[in-house]
Amino acid sequence: MSTQGPTTDKCLITALMCQENFACAGNAEAVFECDECNTLQCQQCEGELHKQERLQNHERTRIPPGFVPYCSSCKGGNTSSMVNSTTGSRQRAVVRCLSCKVDLCADCQKRTHSGGNKRKHQFTAYPILKGPEPQHGPEMDKESLRKKMTEKVVSFLLVDETEQIQVKDEEEFLEKLHCKPDDLLKVISIFGNTGDGKSHTLNHTFFYGREVFKTSPAQESCTIGVWAALDPVHKVVVIDTEGLLGATVNLSQRTRLLLKVLAISDIVIYRTHADRLHNDLFKFLGDASEAYLKYFTKELKATTARCGLDVPLSTLGPGVIIFHETVHTKLLGSEKTTEIPEKVIQDRFRRLGRFPEAFSSIQYKGTRTYNPPTDFSGLRHVIEQQLENNTTRSPRHPGVIYKALKALSDRFSGEIPDDQMTHSCFFPDEYFTCSSMCLSCGAGCKNSMNHLKEGLRHDTPSRCRYSHQYDNRVYTCKACYESGKEVNVVPKTSASTDSPWMGLAKYAWSGYVIECPSCGVIYRSRQYWFGNQDPVDTVVRTEIQHVWPGADGFLKDNNNAAQRLLDGMNFMAQSVSELGIGPTKAVTSWLTDQIAPAYWKPNSQILECTKCKSSFKENDTKHHCRACGEGFCDSCSSKSRPVPERGWGLSPVRVCDSCYDQRGTPVAVAVQAAEDDEGGTLIARKVGEAVQNTLGAVVKTIDFPLGLVKDAARPTYWIPDHEIKHCYSCRKEFSSKLSKHHCRACGQGFCDECSNERRPVPSRGWDHPVRVCINCNKKPGDL
């Protein structure tokens, strides 16, 4: 100790005395060491000091025989031979400066008291420890075991900076955490400004200083996105986040990502290295609390129900620990013994107009670092106390943690337009609400993000204005409205009770109609020769509705008479063309079934010969027995005889072998059967057989004008043919071999496979089953 000079007084400490002198005269033997008061205390001083509410949570240990306190200055230097051999961090003191009231190791004594007036300070020396300390054997073994448990822990990227989860499923999540599915875990995350040492804090608080989370002295942030690791000692998932106020491109998305992490956390550490608590801290926590209650509480409840979780997700937010490290300023509440730090924090929230009601608790933990490194033991003690409290946030399986994060990421995702952003708070509504805006008035949708997946439509409380471009009017039946019901009606070609051809005839004579499901037809545009009034003045009332991107139109032209006529002509042309292909298909067409007698079995149901059971191929001809009406091959129905009982008169007609052997019917019965044929089905059948070949010649005459007028007849909501390059569903490109078909509901172009369903589309004026795509066919209710 020659470095201290001849004026230094030193004496060997034979018994540790109380260093507080709070309730004693300083001559009482020390019994406790308070790590946060940084003194050795007798029984009386320890009891009196820690009766105060602000000092009640101090970490204190009973002093065993032969105890030597740690160095108060370095607390973790590793250059001296006095480094503790078990923990490898804090050094034991060799002297105590009675003037400064601090314990010093040899290095710190030389560094701080080798010059100036401090050379004259009086010192007392501690006995030098040689070898391990037997009084700490059991405790050090436990610490050594804990440290060994964390040696293989590594962190992994959980969510990247674009809010994309980098773990594909629960199994990979368990594998990266190195835990079991039935383990019960809690989640601890850390927030704070960039450069405040969040990763460093987690490494020293949970992993004994190992660099589990990357740290860097560079100016650029070393933590991008969200990283996670498992602390096997405390059974917690530790999450490191990207710092606030950093240089980033996707600022809005990264800020929203922080709230998702906060929502799944049980304890949140807000790390600040500022000498005084800034307003940003209180604004961040206050805005996070408001957004949590407004958006995440409901979503966590829905996730519990949707995923069938055994452990319900707490709708009350996590506990918050404000870890405040200062160098030049005093800690919060240290100036007055009656000042409680938590009460001071609540007052700051109130003055700023922020109310952190979502958090289960807010606790302040401060440490003043005179000389590095920082002491994290107090923070660790507070965390361990909160982890033991399961009254509000109970531990849960890792699968539950993953499902909650996945549900929040799916719900609140997507880009946030900068031109719609308001930066008055940390978590504005634009972070969590739908970004769609009304095309007519510019109002934004107030539903939460991705609400369309749950079947919820766009909505906003503000009223819209009429725009001629979008014609955003909606008609409702006036009579129904006056009786307390609101029924939407649309102009269309014909009433739902009219057949397609009758509807076309009435449309040509009386114009379009407006039909109410309850009141029937309430308006015809040309009902009278003159003096027809506007429907708005008589039978309907008008409402102005919002126009959302991608939504269907409102009062668009639903007069599809021209397209109906073309559809009918197309159908006839296809039928006639099938009849004219050749003799092998002469009786397998739609026209054949339409004019067939009622007792004949339809061609579509005849798959094999009734007698010999041979299957019909594509080019095989099906023959009906005129007596029984079943289908046969040519060889099994080659005989003929009169069948007067079916109205075929006395002339021989084709019958099957079985019916040929049966006895015939008297002539009187045949005459009567012919008179009973009021519908004329047999006459139609005979005429049909005569003109089938003649109709084939009509096909070429029909095809040319159909292609010429197709665009002119197209309804307004249909996509023009020249704009349709591929199927809207399967994305197949159209060619001469792949025909285009329009869905009567949405108006998009599809191939035949993706639009082979048939449903009425009353909202578009199609009251009878028409072609719809597979997407519209899945929609519930009326189209």
Side-chain angles (χ1 to χ4, degrees):
M1 296 296 175
S2 58
T3 57
Q4 299 302 318
T7 59
T8 304
D9 295 326
K10 258 188 324 185
C11 61
L12 183 65
I13 298 178
T14 57
L16 297 176
M17 308 305 291
C18 178
Q19 299 171 352
E20 273 293 349
N21 303 337
F22 183 77
C24 68
N27 53 2
E29 186 175 355
V31 180
F32 294 94
E33 179 190 27
C34 180
D35 192 62
E36 296 177 67
C37 294
N38 198 26
T39 56
L40 304 179
Q41 301 167 2
C42 64
Q43 185 79 40
Q44 187 178 5
C45 290
E46 188 273 337
E48 292 296 327
L49 269 173
H50 296 96
K51 282 182 180 178
Q52 303 177 51
E53 185 175 357
R54 65 187 183 87
L55 304 178
Q56 285 179 353
N57 294 327
H58 280 194
E59 186 176 2
R60 308 179 294 280
T61 56
R62 184 174 290 273
I63 297 174
F67 174 79
V68 175
Y70 289 112
C71 176
S72 303
S73 181
C74 67
K75 288 190 176 179
N78 54 7
T79 59
S80 171
S81 60
M82 302 303 293
V83 175
N84 185 283
S85 59
T86 306
T87 63
S89 56
R90 301 176 65 182
Q91 298 182 68
R92 297 290 177 179
V94 295
V95 295
R96 177 173 180 80
C97 178
L98 300 181
S99 301
C100 300
K101 296 184 179 180
V102 293
D103 300 309
L104 301 170
C105 63
D107 286 347
C108 292
Q109 179 192 10
K110 181 178 180 181
R111 178 167 53 85
T112 61
H113 287 71
S114 60
N117 294 331
K118 290 188 177 181
R119 295 182 59 193
K120 302 178 181 180
H121 288 186
Q122 185 177 2
F123 291 84
T124 55
Y126 292 108
I128 299 177
L129 296 177
K130 298 179 180 180
E133 304 166 13
Q135 71 274 11
H136 270 256
E139 291 188 12
M140 291 301 106
D141 289 342
K142 185 177 180 181
E143 283 295 305
S144 180
L145 178 61
R146 287 184 168 188
K147 183 180 178 183
K148 188 174 182 181
M149 290 173 65
T150 62
E151 287 180 353
K152 296 183 179 180
V153 176
V154 292
S155 61
F156 61 93
L157 181 62
L158 181 59
V159 186
D160 65 10
E161 66 274 15
T162 61
E163 299 182 284
Q164 298 297 318
I165 297 182
Q166 301 301 299
V167 181
K168 61 181 180 180
D169 51 31
E170 293 180 38
E171 288 73 17
E172 186 178 356
F173 185 63
L174 294 171
E175 180 183 350
K176 291 193 173 185
L177 285 179
H178 301 288
C179 64
K180 299 177 181 178
D182 55 350
D183 285 346
L184 293 175
L185 308 174
K186 285 192 174 184
V187 181
I188 296 179
S189 57
I190 192 167
F191 297 88
N193 292 335
T194 182
D196 273 359
K198 299 181 299 298
S199 303
H200 179 77
T201 299
L202 295 180
N203 290 336
H204 284 268
T205 304
F206 297 99
F207 305 108
Y208 295 90
R210 286 187 60 249
E211 192 170 307
V212 174
F213 296 105
K214 184 181 178 182
T215 60
S216 171
Q219 281 293 323
E220 293 77 13
S221 176
C222 56
T223 303
I224 303 297
V226 173
W227 293 72
L230 177 68
D231 175 12
V233 176
H234 299 95
K235 289 291 183 182
V236 295
V237 179
V238 184
I239 295 181
D240 189 16
T241 63
E242 190 172 346
L244 297 168
L245 306 181
T248 179
V249 178
N250 302 318
L251 176 62
S252 301
Q253 288 181 267
R254 297 192 185 185
T255 307
R256 181 174 60 189
L257 175 59
L258 296 181
L259 193 58
K260 298 178 189 177
V261 175
L262 182 144
I264 66 169
S265 301
D266 299 289
I267 298 174
V268 170
I269 304 170
Y270 193 101
R271 172 74 156 97
T272 176
H273 206 286
D275 277 339
R276 294 179 177 86
L277 297 179
H278 295 163
N279 284 346
D280 282 349
L281 182 153
F282 299 96
K283 290 180 180 179
F284 174 85
L285 293 177
D287 293 341
S289 171
E290 182 181 355
Y292 183 92
L293 292 175
K294 191 172 183 180
Y295 300 105
F296 283 73
T297 299
K298 180 175 67 175
E299 186 59 28
L300 289 173
K301 286 181 180 178
T303 301
T304 303
R306 186 166 57 246
C307 300
L309 303 180
D310 296 332
V311 180
L313 299 171
S314 175
T315 55
L316 187 62
V320 176
I321 300 174
I322 299 176
F323 182 54
H324 183 204
E325 180 183 5
T326 66
V327 177
H328 306 290
T329 57
K330 296 179 181 180
L331 299 176
L332 200 64
S334 61
E335 297 184 28
K336 302 177 182 178
T337 56
T338 58
E339 191 175 59
I340 302 173
E342 286 74 15
K343 189 176 184 305
V344 176
I345 290 174
Q346 292 292 344
D347 291 340
R348 287 282 298 274
F349 275 116
R350 190 162 47 252
R351 288 200 299 270
L352 290 171
R354 301 298 201 274
F355 303 97
E357 300 169 349
F359 303 121
S360 55
S361 65
I362 296 181
Q363 192 169 352
Y364 174 86
K365 181 60 191 174
T367 181
R368 186 173 180 180
T369 305
Y370 293 96
N371 295 294
T374 306
D375 180 17
F376 297 102
S377 59
L379 175 62
R380 186 185 305 112
H381 178 68
V382 173
I383 291 174
E384 289 173 348
Q385 283 183 328
Q386 289 211 16
L387 288 175
E388 293 174 358
N389 182 10
N390 296 325
T391 55
T392 304
R393 311 278 296 196
S394 58
R396 52 208 184 275
H397 298 301
V400 177
I401 298 172
Y402 177 81
K403 286 178 180 177
L405 179 61
K406 184 73 167 61
L408 295 177
S409 296
D410 292 343
R411 179 65 166 177
F412 303 108
S413 59
E415 295 184 1
I416 305 172
D418 290 335
D419 57 346
Q420 299 180 22
M421 281 304 307
T422 55
H423 297 282
S424 58
C425 64
F426 276 94
F427 299 100
D429 289 342
E430 287 81 358
Y431 282 10
F432 311 103
T433 55
C434 178
S435 59
S436 297
M437 300 181 69
C438 174
L439 301 177
S440 179
C441 67
C445 175
K446 296 304 180 183
N447 281 339
S448 57
M449 283 185 163
N450 300 311
H451 58 88
L452 295 177
K453 296 179 180 179
E454 299 182 356
L456 299 177
R457 297 183 177 182
H458 295 293
D459 189 28
T460 183
S462 61
R463 297 181 65 87
C464 192
R465 63 173 178 266
Y466 176 73
S467 171
H468 178 73
Q469 177 183 359
Y470 301 106
D471 195 13
N472 51 331
R473 295 173 299 166
V474 173
Y475 285 168
T476 57
C477 176
K478 186 176 292 186
C480 292
Y481 181 80
E482 291 173 353
S483 62
K485 296 182 294 183
E486 190 167 346
V487 181
N488 290 346
V489 293
V490 293
K492 56 183 182 178
T493 300
S494 61
S496 59
T497 55
D498 295 336
S499 65
W501 291 104
M502 181 60 70
L504 285 175
K506 288 185 177 180
Y507 172 74
W509 181 260
S510 302
Y512 72 86
V513 301
I514 298 178
E515 183 180 21
C516 171
S518 301
C519 307
V521 176
I522 58 177
Y523 180 79
R524 285 190 180 274
S525 60
R526 295 194 302 272
Q527 185 173 4
Y528 307 106
W529 286 103
F530 61 89
N532 293 292
Q533 293 182 311
D534 191 273
V536 177
D537 300 330
T538 55
V539 295
V540 298
R541 57 187 300 273
T542 305
E543 289 186 2
I544 308 301
Q545 292 194 356
H546 293 282
V547 185
W548 303 108
D552 293 335
F554 296 92
L555 291 177
K556 291 191 180 297
D557 184 13
N558 287 323
N559 295 328
N560 47 29
Q563 186 60 40
R564 285 191 181 193
L565 181 61
L566 286 184
D567 286 348
M569 294 178 68
N570 268 322
F571 193 45
M572 178 66 74
Q574 291 169 8
S575 301
V576 171
S577 63
E578 288 178 7
L579 291 173
I581 287 175
T584 57
K585 292 185 178 180
V587 196
T588 58
S589 64
W590 167 84
L591 188 58
T592 304
D593 282 337
Q594 297 299 313
I595 63 176
Y599 70 94
W600 277 22
K601 189 175 184 179
N603 282 287
S604 59
Q605 299 180 14
I606 302 174
L607 303 179
E608 59 182 16
C609 177
T610 305
K611 183 178 180 182
C612 66
K613 304 299 182 183
S614 59
S615 300
F616 287 111
K617 297 181 180 178
E618 182 179 358
N619 295 324
D620 291 344
T621 303
K622 304 172 185 177
H623 297 280
H624 284 84
C625 172
R626 268 55 171 173
C628 63
E630 295 292 335
F632 297 87
C633 63
D634 184 67
S635 60
C636 294
S637 61
S638 59
K639 298 181 180 180
S640 60
R641 72 169 177 85
V643 188
E645 67 271 20
R646 292 293 193 181
W648 293 96
L650 299 178
S651 301
V653 290
R654 182 186 293 270
V655 291
C656 64
D657 294 343
S658 301
C659 294
Y660 179 78
D661 298 332
Q662 297 178 1
R663 295 181 63 184
T665 305
V667 175
V669 177
V671 174
Q672 184 64 38
E675 292 177 356
D676 292 340
D677 185 23
E678 296 178 357
T681 56
L682 295 177
I683 298 174
R685 170 65 192 170
K686 292 175 182 178
V687 174
E689 290 177 348
V691 302
Q692 283 176 359
N693 293 331
T694 306
L695 289 176
V698 183
V699 176
K700 295 181 180 179
T701 309
I702 295 176
D703 277 344
F704 181 73
L706 281 179
L708 192 64
V709 301
K710 191 174 182 181
D711 280 340
R714 175 177 53 84
T716 55
Y717 69 94
W718 280 21
I719 305 299
D721 281 12
H722 66 274
E723 296 181 10
I724 302 174
K725 305 300 182 184
H726 47 70
C727 175
Y728 192 75
S729 178
C730 66
R731 316 304 290 179
K732 290 181 182 177
E733 290 192 5
F734 289 115
S735 62
S736 58
K737 297 182 179 180
L738 188 63
S739 301
K740 303 173 185 177
H741 300 279
H742 282 85
C743 170
R744 269 54 173 174
C746 64
Q748 295 290 344
F750 297 86
C751 64
D752 184 64
E753 289 184 9
C754 298
S755 61
N756 56 6
E757 304 292 339
R758 297 293 186 272
R759 280 182 63 180
V761 188
S763 64
R764 297 294 193 183
W766 306 91
D767 294 303
H768 300 277
V770 288
R771 180 186 295 271
V772 294
C773 65
I774 54 177
N775 299 326
C776 293
N777 189 52
K778 294 177 182 178
K779 295 180 180 180
D782 294 335
L783 294 177

